[in-house]
Amino acid sequence: MATDSLTRIERHASFGGWQEVWQHTSETLHCDMKFAVYLPPQAAHQSVPVLYWLSGLTCSEQNLITKAGFQRYAAELGLMVVAIDTSPRGEHIADDDAWDLGQGAGFYLNATQQPWASHYAMYDYLTKEIPALISAHFPSNGRQSIAGHSMGGHGALMVALNNPGRFESVSAFAPIVAPSQVPWGQKAFTAYLGSDTTQWQQWDSLRLVEQGHSLPVTLIDQGLADPFYPQQLTTELLETRCKEKALPVTFRYQPDYDHSYYFVSTFIEEHLRFHAKALMT
């Protein structure tokens, strides 16, 4: 099925709704991109709210839809769930041999340094192009929330902080909360944005909170057996700042859970119910 520039490339019946994957030529990223949409059964006869999902390093739109088991809960709650890719893709797109830079590692920012700046504008893609496509072609009622895992947790928090009032709620699993202070973020930010660290602040959730940006109701889960915690995932730094600013953020530390989708799938129901409560109030 094709709709203007959109082509549906997957469609699977799931809990009375449809799990779809769409492809389009992105005007923002200058390449072909894929995104996943779960349409709950309610979407067949009415508009529904949207939860955007951002995945982590090395991931694509496929990780959430094949590993998290969220569809059962989205169907019950009447949530459309949109999962985007983590970077521009293609043979002509700049890349790096390392897994934590380049394709699969866009960090949801707008790159300013070459060779990345020609295509790596994931922030504009996420905040402008994708919402416009969803609004134009899918039964959204205009209410939206955002969630993510790891690098995607960074993206969800950072995008919400930079767009006050847009989202009813935010949630994150094992987010990179202070990318300017940890190796993953420092490597990516230096490559994409250059060595002037003042240019990093608009993409760093901790810095944005320190500068007075606000969040809607937010839920953050961190596994205590996560191999990247606390060296890359400095969760307590953000918790301290959010408490100082009296932001409505709940932090939970889960014993025994690691960084994988076993962790995500365990708590995804709670996250979807959290978002549904905010979206349907």
Side-chain angles (χ1 to χ4, degrees):
M1 176 181 174
T3 305
D4 297 334
S5 65
L6 296 177
T7 301
R8 190 174 62 207
I9 58 176
E10 289 187 38
R11 192 176 195 231
H12 311 283
S14 180
F15 296 99
W18 296 97
Q19 180 61 67
E20 302 181 342
V21 177
W22 293 77
Q23 181 170 293
H24 73 115
T25 299
S26 170
E27 297 178 359
T28 305
L29 305 180
H30 310 294
C31 64
D32 288 341
M33 293 292 289
K34 297 175 184 176
F35 62 92
V37 179
Y38 179 72
L39 294 167
Q42 296 86 341
H45 51 81
Q46 68 186 58
S47 60
V48 296
V50 179
L51 175 63
Y52 289 96
W53 174 269
L54 310 181
S55 290
L57 290 164
T58 75
C59 295
S60 71
E61 81 289 339
Q62 290 289 323
N63 294 74
L64 177 78
I65 68 175
T66 59
K67 294 182 177 181
F70 75 91
Q71 289 92 344
R72 176 191 300 271
Y73 314 113
E76 174 195 338
L77 297 167
L79 295 178
M80 185 191 315
V81 180
V82 176
I84 73 167
D85 204 349
T86 54
S87 76
R89 302 277 183 177
E91 293 182 1
H92 66 295
I93 304 297
D95 201 4
D96 190 273
D97 290 337
W99 61 273
D100 55 357
L101 187 69
Q103 293 187 38
F107 270 81
Y108 304 103
L109 50 74
N110 290 337
T112 58
Q113 306 298 301
Q114 293 298 354
W116 313 104
S118 298
H119 298 280
Y120 283 72
M122 288 299 295
Y123 180 82
D124 283 351
Y125 179 70
L126 168 60
T127 60
K128 298 176 182 178
E129 187 169 3
I130 282 290
L133 286 174
I134 297 301
S135 177
H137 300 289
F138 298 90
S140 163
N141 68 8
R143 292 176 67 82
Q144 53 194 328
S145 292
I146 192 166
H149 172 230
S150 193
M151 179 185 71
H154 142 74
L157 291 164
M158 177 271 291
V159 167
L161 285 160
N162 276 312
N163 292 272
R166 175 178 287 201
F167 302 104
E168 304 300 325
S169 52
V170 183
S171 76
F173 293 85
I176 306 170
V177 301
S180 299
Q181 299 184 39
V182 300
W184 277 342
Q186 291 168 343
K187 177 179 180 178
F189 282 15
T190 300
Y192 297 143
L193 305 170
S195 58
D196 180 359
T197 58
T198 63
Q199 301 303 309
W200 299 6
Q201 295 186 19
Q202 65 181 306
W203 312 111
D204 186 307
S205 295
L206 182 67
R207 296 296 181 222
L208 291 168
V209 169
E210 290 173 342
Q211 292 166 10
H213 293 244
S214 64
L215 285 166
V217 289
T218 299
L219 174 63
I220 295 176
D221 272 317
Q222 175 61 57
L224 292 179
D226 190 322
F228 304 114
Y229 170 82
Q231 289 79 16
Q232 303 276 14
L233 309 172
T234 53
T235 317
E236 286 87 353
L237 292 180
L238 185 65
E239 183 177 15
T240 297
R241 293 294 180 268
C242 288
K243 287 181 177 178
E244 290 173 354
K245 302 288 187 179
L247 298 182
V249 185
T250 298
F251 289 82
R252 307 192 307 186
Y253 297 87
Q254 306 291 359
D256 302 326
Y257 285 91
D258 59 21
H259 199 71
S260 71
Y261 268 79
Y262 294 107
F263 169 47
V264 173
S265 64
T266 298
F267 298 102
I268 195 70
E269 178 184 1
E270 294 178 28
H271 282 240
L272 261 64
R273 293 192 185 282
F274 168 78
H275 289 296
K277 181 178 179 181
L279 286 162
M280 297 175 187
T281 299

